[in-house]
Amino acid sequence: MPPPSRTKTRPGSEPGSGTARFISGVVEGFYGRPWTMEQRTELFKREQKWGLNSYLYAPKDDYKHRMYWRDLYSAEEAEQLVALISAAKQHNVEFIYALSPGLDITFSSPKEVAALKRKLEQVREFGCRSFSLLFDDIKSEMCPADKQAFSSFAHAQVAVTNEVYQHLGEPDIFLFCPTDYCAKLCTPNVPQSSYLLTVGENLLPVIDILWTGPKVVSHKISVESIEEVSSVLRRAPVIWDNIHANDYDPQRLFLGPYKDRPTELIPKLRGVLTNPNCEFYPNFVAIHTLATWCKAATHGGARDVEMGEEEDDLCYSPQKALSLALSEWLQEFLSTDPPGDEEPMQTDIGESCYVPGPGEKPLFTAEPLTLDDLKLLSDLFYLPYEHGVTARTMLQELDWLKNNSCATTAETDKTAEWRSRAQQFDDMCESVTQMFDRLSNAPKRSVLYDLYNYICDIKSSVGMARAYVKTLGGRGQPSAHLMNDDPEPWRFRGGLSGEFQRMLPAHGNRDLFRYPPMTSVYSIRPYCPEDKIEVQRIFTEMQRAGEGQIPQVTQSPLMCDSLSAGDVSPSPDCALVLEDEIGVCGYALALIDAKPAAAKIQRATGDSVFEDFPSLITIQVLPRVSDPSPAKRMIGQLLSCIRSSGSRGAFCELRENDRRMIQFYTNLGSFKLAKVAGLPHEVLTMATSL
């Protein structure tokens, strides 16, 4: 059945005109620290300036909104809400008060329903005229009393909502948030959802329903999907849009434009409310671009187009909207906070009277923030399902530089390309550093404080990538800070949460940048005779790869070659293989006594070497193993077995052009170059004491 006809006007139409006003604005509905009263008042000013008209008060961490919904507000709390509702009216913003009783309400209890009415009556006395009941993020199991009174969970919610709506005198705006508030939560799907069908049939038609789209955080919202849910709900929904919400990930912030919602949606919706970042000030872009999206339909635009496509001034372009928002945001950055509002400790800073003398360091001068800095910031913190252009480029370049680092071992045509792209990557990294410096010195400290943790984190990560590329290009020592047994805490990310994620098989498979290999699950097991062929295959493959990087000359054999080739068997319990989802991808082998391997290649090595380092080890992994951790674990297990046998030390032989393995052993920290007489000039030894 199609939704009933509802006439509505575009944003800005006045109440009392005989038509329902299109709801547009902001919902404060995230989990975490609620915004302050001052920030909410600032929000109302922005909404009025940009043409938005509504604010839904639903902070999950206001205890009396959700957990203690029955409790009335105290006199002090009431005073704050009265002032807030008054401020919204002053700026022509509709204040919609939401209550979320679903955690523990007994729907069939008259006492509970009376408590619900009493709470909303109190807020009505504060001057509020619009309300909402939210039943999101709750368990759908009914208590025994409700099971006796209602045939389903949906019937229970609808009955109470209808009763409360009528008790409040049928307010012009009354919103209902269902438990199944997106297509992904519907069983088995939207058209066949018994829950939504019950809501659509029984909820009073003048009550509006909130909907987040295909998912909780919807990548795209299509006209077809809205038509489908509208048919089931028998009315056009109000979109609660989580595209800029970040309460589910403390390391992410979203500064990209409102996009992937065609403006053709507007005539098919009752309204749109954005539920943005937890941090107030960075929401400038999210709210500004939503306002531009709403205005596009006013002027007859009907698309959400990308730059580069055929477009005219009447169509909504996310990139044009973003540029407009960032230009205005820059002016806010360059202003100062009002006295007493987020000001630094020193408030009397003026021109320095100190003048450096000849040969002395010049005074530090903070460069002003630029529009390019904000565009870069937005690119680095774009949207949940995509990075900005610069961020994508940096990831692609780093991936290419890493996978083509062999070009730096000898001068070829590709070497010049590698070094050129490495310099371009370095320039992009430097831009991030400069952006951080200029943001850190911006006059508007309140905005900076909301951004600081994020920009500090990305600056550090980019710095590590920058150092890594320099190491690959031979412009720096192997970066011990990238792989080190005792790193500084700022060199690894995520704390305990990060450790858990790295141990789970799904970690990385939803990364926005899909070109690098997804994180694999590796297993280390003891070597068995059947593995000999696979070990020989890996040994031969890596030998050929190494020969391809240097002029074709006869190479001196290494002691470990006889181990890898299967000519000498590894010592018992001193052989491991590494497997991924494809198959065997690496190995680690050892001889407790290395003398048989030396004899095999007729190596005339002094006995003093075998006295200090009697054991021989070798390790090899295929290039598809991009994570160094499995190889490090194999070496650790191997050295532990060797130590248990009573050996004093272990060594490996490497060719001097094998930069990959030299860097690997160097990064372990325990292996050092050892001087060994009688070695061919292109062979070196690295050893560790046990």
Side-chain angles (χ1 to χ4, degrees), residues 362-675:
L363 290 175
F364 173 78
T365 303
E367 295 183 3
L369 192 67
T370 68
L371 183 58
D372 285 341
D373 290 326
L374 292 189
K375 289 179 178 177
L376 175 59
L377 180 68
S378 176
D379 268 1
L380 299 179
F381 299 96
Y382 203 63
L383 290 171
Y385 294 96
E386 62 179 307
H387 295 304
V389 174
T390 303
R392 290 199 303 271
T393 301
M394 293 182 75
L395 289 170
Q396 290 164 355
E397 289 303 295
L398 178 59
D399 186 53
W400 188 90
L401 292 167
K402 183 176 69 173
N403 292 332
N404 293 275
S405 60
C406 58
T408 64
T409 59
E411 290 296 328
T412 64
D413 292 340
K414 203 169 187 178
T415 304
E417 180 187 3
W418 195 97
R419 298 203 182 283
S420 174
R421 293 176 71 161
Q423 183 58 53
Q424 292 173 11
F425 180 78
D426 192 79
D427 292 342
M428 287 187 284
C429 294
E430 177 62 20
S431 296
V432 174
T433 300
Q434 292 179 2
M435 178 267 292
F436 173 86
D437 291 340
R438 288 192 280 260
L439 268 174
S440 299
N441 289 289
K444 192 77 170 181
R445 310 310 288 173
S446 54
V447 185
L448 170 67
Y449 297 155
D450 273 357
L451 290 169
Y452 187 78
N453 287 342
Y454 297 101
I455 61 174
C456 185
D457 182 71
I458 195 63
K459 177 199 173 189
S460 179
S461 297
V462 166
M464 286 191 289
R466 189 181 192 183
Y468 176 63
V469 169
K470 287 183 177 180
T471 299
L472 291 178
R475 291 192 290 161
Q477 295 297 318
S479 302
H481 62 274
L482 294 175
M483 290 174 56
N484 190 295
D485 291 333
D486 186 26
E488 294 284 1
W490 58 81
R491 296 299 181 189
F492 49 88
R493 290 287 179 269
L496 179 60
S497 175
E499 296 295 337
F500 275 122
Q501 291 179 30
R502 282 186 282 274
M503 293 176 69
L504 298 176
H507 176 58
N509 70 359
R510 302 305 297 171
D511 287 349
L512 305 186
F513 179 62
R514 300 301 184 89
Y515 294 102
M518 293 183 289
T519 301
S520 299
V521 179
Y522 299 102
S523 62
I524 298 171
R525 61 170 176 81
Y527 169 94
C528 60
E530 290 78 12
D531 294 318
K532 182 176 180 179
I533 295 176
E534 286 298 306
V535 168
Q536 290 173 333
R537 177 185 63 81
I538 294 173
F539 170 62
T540 302
E541 182 177 333
M542 297 307 294
Q543 262 199 327
R544 288 173 180 166
E547 289 169 358
Q549 297 178 18
I550 59 174
Q552 294 298 311
V553 296
T554 302
Q555 299 189 66
S556 301
L558 304 178
M559 285 193 209
C560 58
D561 288 350
S562 57
L563 260 179
S564 300
D567 298 329
V568 176
S569 298
S571 299
D573 301 323
C574 289
L576 301 167
V577 293
L578 180 69
E579 287 183 315
D580 60 11
E581 65 275 6
I582 299 175
V584 176
C585 54
Y587 61 83
L589 311 173
L591 284 173
I592 301 297
D593 182 1
K595 290 180 181 179
K600 189 75 177 178
I601 62 171
Q602 300 179 344
R603 175 67 54 76
T605 302
D607 289 341
S608 60
V609 175
F610 297 125
E611 290 177 5
D612 294 331
F613 310 106
S615 303
L616 172 69
I617 65 170
T618 184
I619 185 170
Q620 194 57 266
V621 294
L622 291 174
R624 72 173 187 250
V625 183
S626 57
D627 183 355
S629 303
K632 293 175 72 176
R633 289 200 297 270
M634 283 199 296
I635 283 290
Q637 292 181 35
L638 210 58
L639 293 178
S640 178
C641 293
I642 295 171
R643 187 185 300 110
S644 299
S645 71
S647 176
R648 298 178 56 188
F651 72 96
C652 63
E653 286 190 341
L654 304 167
R655 292 187 173 88
E656 63 178 2
N657 67 301
D658 191 354
R659 297 179 56 190
R660 176 172 175 257
M661 295 311 298
I662 292 172
Q663 182 171 344
F664 170 75
Y665 282 107
T666 300
N667 287 337
L668 290 176
S670 57
F671 279 81
K672 308 296 181 185
L673 285 171
K675 292 184 179 180

Side-chain angles (χ1 to χ4, degrees), residues 120 152 214 272 301 360 426 561:
L120 295 178
S152 73
V272 177
E360 295 182 344
D426 192 79
D561 288 350

